[in-house]
Amino acid sequence: MAKKSMWAREAKRAKIVAQFATKRAELKAIINDRNKSHEEIDAAVAALQKLPRDASPSRQQRRCRVSGRPHGVYRKFGLCRNMLREAVMRGDVPGLKKGSW
């Protein structure tokens, strides 16, 4: 099990990402617009850099819904490889079965 502080940290990151999503999108649009002047683009880059670090969606970590494990998480199921294996063995995941060759 992941520590409660890790779960809380991820929840906090998700909240900050949602809070700054529109501002980041506006600044990114200015930066990518080649019709803007260099001063406007530089100002937008500086403003983007002043935003909180956790405002970037790439800072969020996918975690297992059962154990909270941050690595080896399958997006389709939301489970890490260990919990997915256990769920398949129990028959909780329809359409999946253990391969053996």
Side-chain angles (χ1 to χ4, degrees):
M1 266 315 264
K3 297 190 299 187
K4 299 292 181 192
S5 60
M6 295 296 124
W7 289 91
R9 188 181 298 168
E10 291 301 323
K12 179 182 171 188
R13 280 190 184 133
K15 189 173 97 175
I16 291 174
V17 165
Q19 179 182 353
F20 288 100
T22 55
K23 179 127 177 112
R24 280 184 62 85
E26 291 169 1
L27 291 172
K28 289 249 189 201
I30 292 171
I31 292 169
N32 292 328
D33 185 9
R34 292 297 154 206
N35 295 328
K36 300 284 185 184
S37 67
H38 290 296
E39 291 80 19
E40 288 176 320
I41 292 173
D42 290 341
V45 168
L48 186 66
Q49 290 174 348
K50 287 193 186 298
L51 290 180
R53 181 175 288 154
D54 285 340
S56 173
S58 63
R59 297 270 300 178
Q60 288 180 297
Q61 182 96 31
R62 226 177 8 265
R63 289 190 173 267
C64 175
R65 285 186 270 161
V66 176
S67 65
R69 180 181 161 87
H71 298 290
V73 179
Y74 288 85
R75 292 180 191 202
K76 185 173 182 177
F77 305 106
L79 298 173
C80 65
R81 58 186 177 81
N82 306 338
M83 296 298 127
L84 180 62
R85 182 177 183 273
E86 290 177 9
V88 168
M89 293 296 195
R90 285 192 310 265
D92 294 342
V93 183
L96 280 185
K97 62 181 181 178
K98 183 177 182 293
S100 60
W101 59 91

